[in-house]
Amino acid sequence: MSSLNSNMSSNSNLSFDEHRWIINIRRTLEEELENDAEIPVCIFNVPKALMTSDPDSYTPQEVAIGPYHHWRPELYEMERYKLAAAKRTQKKIQSLKFQHIVDHLSKLELKIRACYHKFLDFSNETLTWMMAIDASFLLEFLEIYAIKEGIAITRVSSRSMSHLVDYAGRKSAHNAILRDTAMLENQIPLFVLRKILEVQLSSLELADDMLCSMLLGFCKELSPFKLMQDIPKIHISQCAHLLDYLYDMIVPKVEAPPEIISEADDQPEAMEGRYNSSGNSSHIRDLFSEIWKIITRLNKGPGRLLKRLLFSRPFKVVLKLPWTILSNLPGFSILKQTLQHLFFSQDEEITIPCVTELSKSGVCFAPTTGNIQSIAFDVKAVTLYLPTISLDVNTEVVLRNLVAFEASNAPGPLVFTRYTELMNGIIDTEEDVKFLREKGIILNRLKSDEEVANLWNGMSKSIRLTKVPFLDKVIEDVNKYYNQRWTVKVGKFMKRYVFGSWQFLTLLAAVFLLLLMTLQAFCSVYRCSRVLHINSTT
């Protein structure tokens, strides 16, 4: 993937046309800037922190829709199917040619460019033709879902497309295209689809009805909350693209202002009690102190050589150097990265017990047919309510791209990201998945429960920390109930003050060693076999 990106970047640098770039910049500045400024950016690049965790979930594998991945060689073979879809679109507009659609889109060229976060180094003609052809292919693909919604369409696709798409959606290529159309970097503006449908149907109202049916069927297919009863009515003009429509359909609007933790100085206090990590720096320091005590007592063989090295003048000079300087040295920088990876760079997650632990403490689980806002904890009934979620081969890509879109676009709290963090917190093993599946909260269409557990545990990356009031209240109430159980209190006491204390273990080992030495001294004076009544055989 990195080699591909480097090759693409080098090729783009070699083929960079400075004259065309100047023409594009001059034309953009000279034309209507006030209208352009009113169009918000809605199609973004996936944040690097998320892209590095699982690049395949954010990168199209079958078809490129829009400019971001259009020139990738491995996706260019789909151009023949796009052109075939464009020919069928031309037949639908009867006497008009496909150029008529391109001319309509050329009037929207500045509006199209304004939707993309990345600068589009394409000419006006290239961009409008690209949009017209990609939109024709996308509309033909979406017709399948309009039919599922009861809309009568004479022809869905040709025989040349039969191995790619089908009404039942059982073919692997169909699911691959479906996943690609849900990716953040693979979107085109909805107003482009509206314009093409308006040309075909000769009415904007009919175009909106058709597109609404397409999007509704598309979102029902991809939505993880397939049992939602109250589906919100969303007007086409309110959404920017397919992923935005899906996000608005399943994520509730939260009016509360976000409380974002962004300052590094405030993070330790804010993270305490709400987040935990697997490494404990105090225990590491205690371990090193015990090792240091052992080293100082070494006086023979290799121990003496190591002791002389550690107490030598050059080593003391190195210790006196600032660690910021040391960390920039080649050898020390590798050591610093290794130590940070081992002890301090553990993924942080919401502090909440897993499903198995909650169940043992008396918490019941019940499914709901709502969206994320239906999550609640009934203190009196000791019941945690979670929406039923269906997981299949497309779900991970959908979840990850919804998180990426929310992180790039949402002005308020990251509601969907918080939901994925909650599920990641309560699901640790396949036993947790099995329990939720038996309760009807998880509908598993994957191969195994382990695969579902790996899906949730792999989504621990988050762009920024945020508070979502109703979800944080649920987490707080669950933790409050769980921590009040006396078995939990005893377990935490043992973990913190017994098993988590190097001093206690050292004392225990010393006492045990002292008892053994006492027993050995006793047996050297008296015969242990006679005192302890042990029969000795020769």
Side-chain angles (χ1 to χ4, degrees):
M1 182 63 67
S2 59
S3 60
L4 175 63
N5 293 334
S6 61
N7 291 336
M8 290 177 64
S9 61
S10 61
N11 292 337
S12 62
N13 291 335
L14 292 174
S15 60
F16 180 72
D17 190 341
E18 294 182 5
H19 181 67
R20 190 181 68 188
W21 180 81
I22 293 174
I23 293 175
N24 288 337
I25 293 297
R26 181 182 294 126
R27 185 172 55 83
T28 302
L29 293 175
E30 289 176 353
E31 295 187 8
E32 299 180 3
L33 290 177
E34 64 277 2
N35 294 333
D36 187 22
E38 295 176 357
I39 304 169
V41 175
C42 58
I43 303 174
F44 305 87
N45 291 100
V46 175
K48 291 182 179 179
L50 298 179
M51 177 66 80
T52 54
S53 62
D54 187 7
D56 289 342
S57 293
Y58 306 101
T59 308
Q61 305 296 314
E62 192 76 20
V63 60
I65 303 294
Y68 280 176
H69 297 273
H70 185 80
W71 304 117
R72 282 177 51 198
E74 64 271 28
L75 301 181
Y76 208 69
E77 61 186 25
M78 287 294 294
E79 286 300 305
R80 57 169 294 199
Y81 300 105
K82 292 183 182 180
L83 291 175
K87 290 179 181 178
R88 288 187 289 275
T89 300
Q90 180 171 329
K91 291 180 180 179
K92 292 178 182 179
I93 56 179
Q94 299 174 353
S95 59
L96 300 175
K97 292 186 177 182
F98 195 78
Q99 179 68 46
H100 184 70
I101 294 177
V102 176
D103 292 339
H104 275 280
L105 294 183
S106 64
K107 300 175 183 178
L108 303 173
E109 183 246 347
L110 285 177
K111 190 176 179 181
I112 293 172
R113 290 182 183 273
C115 292
Y116 288 89
H117 171 71
K118 184 180 179 181
F119 176 75
L120 304 181
D121 190 20
F122 302 111
S123 65
N124 180 14
E125 188 176 13
T126 302
L127 183 61
T128 51
W129 273 97
M130 181 192 301
M131 285 291 161
I133 294 173
D134 287 359
S136 298
F137 176 84
L138 185 57
L139 285 172
E140 185 169 289
F141 181 75
L142 292 176
E143 283 179 356
I144 296 172
Y145 303 103
I147 290 177
K148 288 185 177 182
E149 291 300 308
I151 302 298
I153 298 177
T154 55
R155 188 176 184 180
V156 179
S157 61
S158 68
R159 292 180 180 178
S160 64
M161 291 274 287
S162 61
H163 68 288
L164 293 178
V165 297
D166 64 324
Y167 179 81
R170 289 189 295 265
K171 297 182 178 179
S172 59
H174 180 96
N175 282 318
I177 295 174
L178 188 62
R179 288 192 294 271
D180 287 350
T181 56
M183 292 182 180
L184 176 59
E185 295 185 356
N186 217 31
Q187 301 295 314
I188 58 176
L190 277 186
F191 61 77
V192 174
L193 303 181
R194 289 180 76 194
K195 178 57 68 175
I196 294 178
L197 285 176
E198 183 184 1
V199 173
Q200 290 181 8
L201 303 175
S202 302
S203 169
L204 182 59
E205 185 178 353
L206 293 176
D208 284 348
D209 291 340
M210 174 66 74
L211 187 57
C212 184
S213 299
M214 291 178 176
L215 296 181
L216 190 59
F218 171 82
C219 290
K220 284 182 179 179
E221 181 71 23
L222 279 182
S223 173
F225 307 112
K226 296 190 185 300
L227 299 184
M228 278 179 54
Q229 292 180 346
D230 299 328
I231 299 177
K233 294 182 180 179
I234 304 171
H235 196 268
I236 301 298
S237 59
Q238 298 175 352
C239 298
H241 45 74
L242 294 181
L243 189 62
D244 187 20
Y245 190 94
L246 177 62
Y247 180 85
D248 287 347
M249 194 176 90
I250 66 177
V251 180
K253 302 291 184 182
V254 178
E255 300 296 336
E259 299 181 28
I260 301 169
I261 306 167
S262 56
E263 289 78 9
D265 296 337
D266 297 338
Q267 282 188 1
E269 296 179 1
M271 305 290 280
E272 185 178 357
R274 292 186 53 216
Y275 286 81
N276 63 1
S277 60
S278 59
N280 192 323
S281 58
S282 63
H283 292 169
I284 300 300
R285 286 196 298 269
D286 293 337
L287 175 61
F288 284 141
S289 65
E290 293 298 324
I291 295 175
W292 180 257
K293 290 178 183 178
I294 295 173
I295 292 175
T296 55
R297 297 193 185 102
L298 296 176
N299 289 316
K300 293 182 180 181
R304 180 183 296 177
L305 180 62
L306 179 61
K307 184 177 179 181
R308 290 178 59 185
L309 176 63
L310 294 177
F311 284 97
S312 62
R313 181 174 296 177
F315 192 80
K316 290 181 180 179
V317 172
V318 171
L319 290 178
K320 290 179 181 179
L321 289 174
W323 283 101
T324 53
I325 298 177
L326 290 176
S327 62
N328 292 325
L329 298 178
F332 282 93
S333 62
I334 298 175
L335 179 62
K336 176 185 176 184
Q337 293 174 3
T338 305
L339 291 175
Q340 285 181 341
H341 177 73
L342 289 176
F343 302 124
F344 306 107
S345 65
Q346 303 295 330
D347 289 332
E348 293 165 347
E349 61 180 37
I350 291 177
T351 302
I352 187 171
C354 67
V355 170
T356 306
E357 293 176 354
L358 289 174
S359 177
K360 290 179 180 178
S361 67
V363 176
C364 300
F365 290 82
T368 69
T369 56
N371 58 8
I372 298 175
Q373 205 155 16
S374 64
I375 297 175
F377 181 68
D378 190 338
V379 179
K380 294 181 180 179
V382 196
T383 302
L384 179 59
Y385 294 93
L386 295 170
T388 300
I389 182 169
S390 178
L391 302 174
D392 54 31
V393 293
N394 302 320
T395 305
E396 183 173 4
V397 170
V398 173
L399 294 178
R400 286 182 176 274
N401 281 273
L402 285 172
V403 169
F405 173 67
E406 185 178 60
S408 303
N409 188 62
L414 307 182
V415 180
F416 192 78
T417 303
R418 197 66 167 161
Y419 166 72
T420 61
E421 290 174 350
L422 172 61
M423 295 299 290
N424 176 35
I426 64 174
I427 294 177
D428 288 338
T429 64
E430 55 185 303
E431 294 297 325
D432 300 324
V433 176
K434 180 182 178 182
F435 185 90
L436 294 179
R437 176 170 53 81
E438 291 174 349
K439 294 295 181 181
I441 295 173
I442 288 180
L443 303 179
N444 189 5
R445 308 278 193 268
L446 297 175
K447 295 179 181 179
S448 64
D449 293 336
E450 183 182 4
E451 206 170 330
V452 176
N454 293 336
L455 185 153
W456 288 114
N457 292 327
M459 294 191 63
S460 58
K461 278 287 183 183
S462 180
I463 296 299
R464 57 185 171 96
L465 301 180
T466 183
K467 292 183 179 181
V468 181
F470 75 94
L471 286 179
D472 289 344
K473 182 67 167 57
V474 171
I475 297 169
E476 181 182 351
D477 291 343
V478 171
N479 284 330
K480 185 177 180 181
Y481 169 82
Y482 180 79
N483 293 329
Q484 286 177 347
R485 309 287 291 180
W486 68 269
T487 53
V488 175
K489 291 182 179 179
V490 172
K492 285 190 173 182
F493 177 84
M494 295 292 292
K495 184 178 180 180
R496 179 178 299 176
Y497 297 105
V498 179
F499 303 112
S501 173
W502 285 100
Q503 292 86 352
F504 179 83
L505 294 178
T506 305
L507 176 63
L508 187 64
V511 171
F512 183 70
L513 183 62
L514 181 62
L515 290 176
L516 290 179
M517 292 175 63
T518 304
L519 181 62
Q520 184 183 18
F522 179 81
C523 291
S524 64
V525 177
Y526 304 97
R527 290 187 177 181
C528 294
S529 59
R530 180 181 301 176
V531 175
L532 300 176
H533 303 287
I534 301 174
N535 294 326
S536 60
T537 59
T538 58

